[in-house]
Amino acid sequence: MPTDASKDPHSQPSPSAAAECGCDAVPAGAKGLAPLASALAALRDSCPLMPAERVAVSDAAGRVLAEDVHAELDVPPADNSQMDGYCARVADIGDGAWLPISQRIAAGQPATPLAVASCARLFTGAEIPDGGDVVVMQEEVTLREGEGGTTLAWLPGPRTRGDNIRVQGRDVSKGNRLLAAGTRLDAAALGLLCGQGASHVLVRRKVRVALFATGDELIEPGQPLKPGQIYNSNRVMLSQMLSNFGAEVVLAPLNVADTFEATRDALASAAQQADLIVTCGGVSVGEEDHVRPAIEALGSLDLWRLAIKPGKPLALGSINSPRGDTVRVVGLPGNPVSSWVGGWLFLRPLLGEMTDCSALRELKRLTVRAAFSARTAIRQDHLRVTLATGSDGQLEAHAFPDQNSAVLSSCAGAQALAVIPPHAQLNHGDSVECLWLER
Amino acid sequence: MPTDASKDPHSQPSPSAAAECGCDAVPAGAKGLAPLASALAALRDSCPLMPAERVAVSDAAGRVLAEDVHAELDVPPADNSQMDGYCARVADIGDGAWLPISQRIAAGQPATPLAVASCARLFTGAEIPDGGDVVVMQEEVTLREGEGGTTLAWLPGPRTRGDNIRVQGRDVSKGNRLLAAGTRLDAAALGLLCGQGASHVLVRRKVRVALFATGDELIEPGQPLKPGQIYNSNRVMLSQMLSNFGAEVVLAPLNVADTFEATRDALASAAQQADLIVTCGGVSVGEEDHVRPAIEALGSLDLWRLAIKPGKPLALGSINSPRGDTVRVVGLPGNPVSSWVGGWLFLRPLLGEMTDCSALRELKRLTVRAAFSARTAIRQDHLRVTLATGSDGQLEAHAFPDQNSAVLSSCAGAQALAVIPPHAQLNHGDSVECLWLER
């Protein structure tokens, strides 16, 4: 005869104490806490690589190159003038000569071959006429009227061939590799592509993400708060982080009815539209939650207890998509700081893997001086810090005063995560390794 | 009787040698090269502050707060449970007691006052019922069936009041300042606002920029290249930089007819739509260029020769707008690296000033070890570098191999500008000050 007790998850074996978020499950067979590296390896294992697509360079900011880009043009494309001045032949100038101005070449205009014993008036960036081998800057040149309305220029000599000429291919030689596959395109990279005349570029498709930042106690900002409810911080925050990391949030449902069937159908629908499903909170809370059984009905889910703080619990799974492949599921903890840290530690590298992007795949490590002290127990801690140069010129990490895992004020403006290993006592002035939160 | 010579700008006094970009003008009265700081001061002088506007939090990423944000709610809004377990009174538990489960409280559900000598089954985040003063974690609790289908829970004792309870306001107390005016909103800041229930936020209007990255020799990517022409790198690159720095490019004409009247009309029209006009190249090239006389006809323009590299020439001016205020004009050099460096050194701080944004107003300075050597003459150099931790754990700056001011490959992926003062010899291993290029 069933009772409350027989339905209670507590009546099932529960291997450990609850974390700050209430998650207490472990992957089958795991003993104790798993190191971060094992979870990252599992996360990366067999995740799909996004296909390549061609997009306009003007829309490609933040996208990841899917192929090496080689120079198709010399830059400059022809010899040109480094300054406003006069182009002539060194031999015609000799020790100085009056030469008639036979043509005038502005930047962007074609030049005609330089007439014998003449000079060309030209401007910065203008093409060097065939036959010309030196440019004399205008400040050195004297002009006078010649016969029949012509103008003569005095070019002092002697001169050296090539002076003030930027030779074809000096800056970029045709065939050189300009950008490597896996580069995330910043403004300068876009400029480099434009300089080669490229209007389109082959990049990885954006990872399409379905985000389930839901929970019965959560309501959306702008609504009145009822007893027991809290506002949903994670939906907007994680959407923005995913977008910063180059993904496209294609689905972020506000409400999924609180039944197993509705949850399963929502996840199945997400698996049709998305390359990645991110859930936030709820996965392991027990009888109240339908996300875990729904994922297990559609695929598989491992729950990890990681030896890290904040963010001990992490769910990794996959759902069999109707396309025949599998869609990866990452379940982040529900409390805001843990979910923010999880975004940096797990979502960013996963998105890097799925787009083959070197910069996203790993957070850069910087060793700096700690301007704080910290002590850890069995878990590696990740303190939110800003970086600044100390009075002696050395780079210092300053920890936000409140490292409470429920308070996002320690994350807004954070520039790095200071990594404090387990069982450590870090003193003010010690070196500390930081993960640099590059946007 | 006019001749070529009389129309030639060279026949007018020209106070200095040409720079790498062909700009050779100086502000009236200036002697020699001006330091960067004077130009920055001139740039910031009397620039307008953008008005405030209210936008949806979900659209506010990268926007600058126009007011301090104080907590309007306690977080958590009421005492709640830190874990899945059972809530009771310490006095009822004593040294351990069997207590009937009188209610079940999930997160998000309202609690009723705790019945005398009973306990409540509850889950992480659930509200503590009135009268309850401790939570016992479920792993410590044993259950058995009581009479009439009730369930009894054994709560071991003694207990301490408040254990496993997150008290109201522990994370955020109502009235506390959460975010300061001038903060640029990142994902975590948006989460913090959402956690307070804010659906809208007061931010500075985006600076509206008209971008004139034009020049007779420039053609747009995707078009065939004719002799004398080069592709326009700067238009897409500067548009992206301006957007990264929080501005909105409202106008970036592809072609302005090459006459004084058309240029003046285009600038006058830009001054109607924009808060800032950015030009790139051409301002000082001489007779070919109409931008300078057009700006001077509509307002004023100072040409600066700065003691910096790359990017010596800088034009600063203003146009009287039809609104009655003045619109600032910044003229960057035309070569791509100079214009990219100018974006960081001039546009970013100017946009920070116009939006009162602390993070944009100054590039953060980091002192690190140089993994390169460099020598300067009379100008301060700005080498494009990446940052990495050396084998001894110290942070190092690595210079891109080609620092040629026409080659954007030294800018794509650069993380900092290493500042080498004038007349300096920097050796491998010396400390070097870097401006951190935070995106």
Side-chain angles (χ1 to χ4, degrees):
Chain A
M1 176 184 169
T3 64
D4 271 347
S6 70
K7 284 191 296 180
D8 199 297
H10 169 206
S11 61
Q12 293 151 24
S14 183
S16 81
E20 75 272 23
C21 73
C23 169
D24 62 353
V26 285
K31 305 285 180 208
L33 299 172
L36 180 55
S38 340
L40 281 171
L43 184 74
R44 288 172 168 163
D45 182 43
S46 72
C47 68
L49 177 65
M50 292 297 101
E53 63 181 10
R54 201 164 287 278
V55 302
V57 170
S58 52
D59 294 332
R63 300 298 289 272
V64 179
L65 268 185
E67 61 181 2
D68 288 350
V69 173
H70 294 90
E72 295 186 15
L73 292 176
D74 286 329
V75 177
D79 294 358
N80 72 22
S81 179
Q82 287 186 312
M83 52 188 61
D84 294 359
Y86 296 81
C87 177
R89 292 178 184 81
V90 165
D92 290 340
I93 297 174
D95 290 331
W98 285 103
L99 297 174
I101 298 175
S102 56
Q103 66 177 314
R104 188 174 165 289
I105 314 164
Q109 290 176 2
T112 57
L114 186 65
V116 176
S118 79
C119 67
R121 170 64 168 142
L122 82 187
F123 301 90
T124 304
E127 202 170 312
I128 301 297
D130 275 355
D133 57 16
V134 70
V135 171
V136 180
M137 71 164 72
Q138 62 187 19
E139 288 76 4
E140 295 187 56
V141 174
T142 312
L143 300 180
R144 70 172 168 83
E145 270 184 63
E147 287 170 12
T150 61
T151 304
L152 298 176
W154 172 255
L155 308 187
R159 293 283 149 186
T160 304
R161 285 169 65 112
D163 271 4
N164 302 324
I165 292 176
R166 207 160 60 112
V167 299
Q168 176 175 344
R170 171 183 181 276
D171 301 337
V172 176
S173 291
K174 191 169 168 174
N176 276 7
R177 192 178 76 171
L178 295 178
L179 293 166
T183 299
R184 199 163 178 213
L185 297 170
D186 62 13
L190 298 184
L192 198 57
L193 291 168
C194 287
Q196 285 289 313
S199 61
H200 289 75
V201 61
L202 194 70
V203 296
R204 294 283 157 202
R205 200 188 71 204
K206 288 188 179 190
V207 177
R208 295 182 295 217
V209 181
L211 174 63
F212 290 81
T214 53
D216 290 348
E217 76 277 29
L218 297 175
I219 64 158
E220 293 303 309
Q223 308 297 312
L225 198 67
K226 294 187 196 136
Q229 294 183 323
I230 58 170
Y231 284 112
N232 192 345
S233 306
N234 290 338
R235 189 169 175 275
V236 167
M237 181 180 73
L238 285 173
S239 292
Q240 187 57 44
M241 292 180 84
L242 286 162
S243 161
N244 291 349
F245 300 153
E248 181 184 7
V249 177
V250 290
L251 188 74
L254 283 175
N255 291 299
V256 176
D258 188 25
T259 66
F260 169 78
E261 290 74 18
T263 306
R264 183 197 57 199
D265 293 351
L267 287 166
S269 161
Q272 268 183 302
Q273 300 172 60
D275 307 304
L276 171 67
I277 295 174
V278 175
T279 72
C280 186
V283 167
S284 58
V285 179
E287 71 198 282
E288 288 303 307
D289 180 61
H290 302 288
V291 177
R292 181 176 173 178
I295 293 173
E296 285 170 341
L298 296 165
S300 62
L301 188 73
D302 282 336
L303 294 170
W304 290 69
R305 288 173 54 241
L306 299 177
I308 66 165
K309 189 181 162 194
K312 184 168 82 167
L314 178 74
L316 292 181
S318 57
I319 286 180
N320 304 313
S321 93
R323 299 185 300 266
D325 53 2
T326 58
V327 175
R328 191 154 291 260
V329 180
V330 178
L332 297 175
N335 89 60
V337 174
S338 297
S339 116
W340 182 86
V341 169
W344 287 101
L345 293 186
F346 303 113
L347 298 184
R348 189 178 188 274
L350 178 59
L351 294 170
E353 199 70 29
M354 291 173 79
T355 53
D356 192 26
C357 176
S358 41
L360 288 174
R361 206 180 266 125
E362 300 222 29
L363 289 169
K364 183 168 279 197
R365 289 165 188 274
L366 303 177
T367 304
V368 303
R369 187 170 60 202
F372 59 91
S373 58
R375 179 195 286 274
T376 53
I378 56 167
R379 294 191 286 160
Q380 171 174 300
D381 205 349
H382 298 84
L383 302 182
R384 280 74 68 200
V385 301
T386 55
L387 301 173
T389 299
S391 53
D392 62 351
Q394 289 304 300
L395 195 58
E396 286 180 341
H398 294 262
F400 281 87
D402 191 346
Q403 297 281 339
N404 180 331
S405 75
V407 185
L408 279 172
S409 43
S410 68
C411 303
Q415 293 171 317
L417 291 174
V419 179
I420 322 293
H423 305 295
Q425 167 69 49
L426 182 84
N427 295 314
H428 202 290
D430 288 351
S431 286
V432 63
E433 191 176 65
C434 293
L435 300 171
W436 185 10
L437 305 178
E438 282 187 280
R439 263 75 182 175
Chain B
M1 176 187 172
T3 65
D4 272 347
S6 68
K7 286 191 295 178
D8 198 298
H10 171 204
S11 61
Q12 294 151 23
S14 183
S16 82
E20 75 270 24
C21 71
C23 169
D24 62 353
V26 286
K31 305 284 181 208
L33 299 172
L36 179 57
S38 339
L40 279 171
L43 183 76
R44 288 173 167 162
D45 183 43
S46 72
C47 68
L49 177 64
M50 292 299 99
E53 63 181 10
R54 201 164 286 278
V55 302
V57 169
S58 51
D59 295 331
R63 302 296 291 272
V64 179
L65 268 185
E67 61 180 2
D68 289 349
V69 173
H70 293 90
E72 294 186 16
L73 292 177
D74 285 329
V75 177
D79 294 358
N80 72 22
S81 179
Q82 286 185 311
M83 52 188 63
D84 294 358
Y86 296 81
C87 177
R89 290 178 185 83
V90 166
D92 288 340
I93 298 174
D95 291 330
W98 284 102
L99 297 175
I101 298 174
S102 56
Q103 65 177 312
R104 190 172 163 291
I105 315 165
Q109 290 178 1
T112 57
L114 185 66
V116 176
S118 79
C119 66
R121 170 65 168 142
L122 83 186
F123 300 90
T124 304
E127 203 170 312
I128 301 295
D130 274 356
D133 57 16
V134 70
V135 170
V136 180
M137 72 164 73
Q138 62 188 19
E139 288 77 4
E140 295 188 57
V141 174
T142 311
L143 301 181
R144 69 171 169 86
E145 273 184 61
E147 287 171 16
T150 61
T151 304
L152 298 177
W154 171 255
L155 307 187
R159 294 282 150 184
T160 305
R161 282 171 67 112
D163 270 4
N164 303 326
I165 292 175
R166 206 159 62 109
V167 299
Q168 177 174 347
R170 171 182 181 277
D171 301 336
V172 176
S173 291
K174 193 170 169 174
N176 275 8
R177 191 176 77 170
L178 295 179
L179 294 165
T183 299
R184 199 163 177 213
L185 296 171
D186 61 14
L190 298 183
L192 198 57
L193 291 168
C194 287
Q196 285 289 312
S199 61
H200 288 75
V201 60
L202 195 71
V203 295
R204 294 285 158 200
R205 201 188 70 203
K206 287 187 179 192
V207 177
R208 295 181 293 216
V209 181
L211 174 64
F212 290 81
T214 54
D216 290 347
E217 77 278 27
L218 297 177
I219 64 156
E220 293 304 309
Q223 308 298 312
L225 197 67
K226 293 185 197 137
Q229 294 184 323
I230 57 170
Y231 285 112
N232 191 345
S233 305
N234 289 338
R235 186 169 176 276
V236 167
M237 181 181 72
L238 285 172
S239 291
Q240 187 58 44
M241 292 180 84
L242 287 161
S243 161
N244 292 348
F245 300 154
E248 182 183 7
V249 177
V250 291
L251 189 73
L254 282 176
N255 293 298
V256 176
D258 189 25
T259 68
F260 170 78
E261 290 74 18
T263 307
R264 183 197 56 199
D265 293 352
L267 287 166
S269 161
Q272 269 184 301
Q273 300 172 60
D275 307 304
L276 171 66
I277 295 174
V278 175
T279 71
C280 186
V283 166
S284 57
V285 180
E287 72 198 281
E288 288 304 307
D289 181 63
H290 303 288
V291 177
R292 181 177 174 177
I295 292 172
E296 285 170 340
L298 296 165
S300 63
L301 189 73
D302 282 337
L303 294 169
W304 291 68
R305 287 174 55 241
L306 299 178
I308 66 165
K309 190 183 160 190
K312 185 167 84 169
L314 178 75
L316 292 181
S318 57
I319 286 180
N320 304 311
S321 93
R323 297 185 300 265
D325 54 4
T326 58
V327 175
R328 190 154 292 259
V329 180
V330 178
L332 297 175
N335 88 60
V337 175
S338 298
S339 116
W340 181 85
V341 169
W344 286 102
L345 294 185
F346 303 114
L347 298 183
R348 190 177 187 275
L350 179 59
L351 294 171
E353 199 70 29
M354 292 174 78
T355 54
D356 192 25
C357 176
S358 41
L360 288 174
R361 206 180 266 123
E362 302 223 28
L363 289 169
K364 182 168 281 198
R365 289 165 188 274
L366 303 177
T367 305
V368 303
R369 186 171 62 202
F372 59 92
S373 57
R375 178 194 288 274
T376 53
I378 57 169
R379 294 191 284 161
Q380 172 174 299
D381 206 348
H382 298 84
L383 301 182
R384 282 74 69 202
V385 301
T386 55
L387 301 174
T389 299
S391 54
D392 63 349
Q394 288 304 300
L395 195 58
E396 287 180 341
H398 295 261
F400 281 87
D402 191 347
Q403 297 281 336
N404 179 332
S405 75
V407 185
L408 277 173
S409 43
S410 67
C411 303
Q415 294 172 317
L417 291 173
V419 180
I420 323 291
H423 305 296
Q425 167 69 50
L426 181 84
N427 295 314
H428 202 290
D430 287 352
S431 286
V432 64
E433 192 175 66
C434 293
L435 300 171
W436 184 11
L437 305 178
E438 282 187 280
R439 265 70 182 179

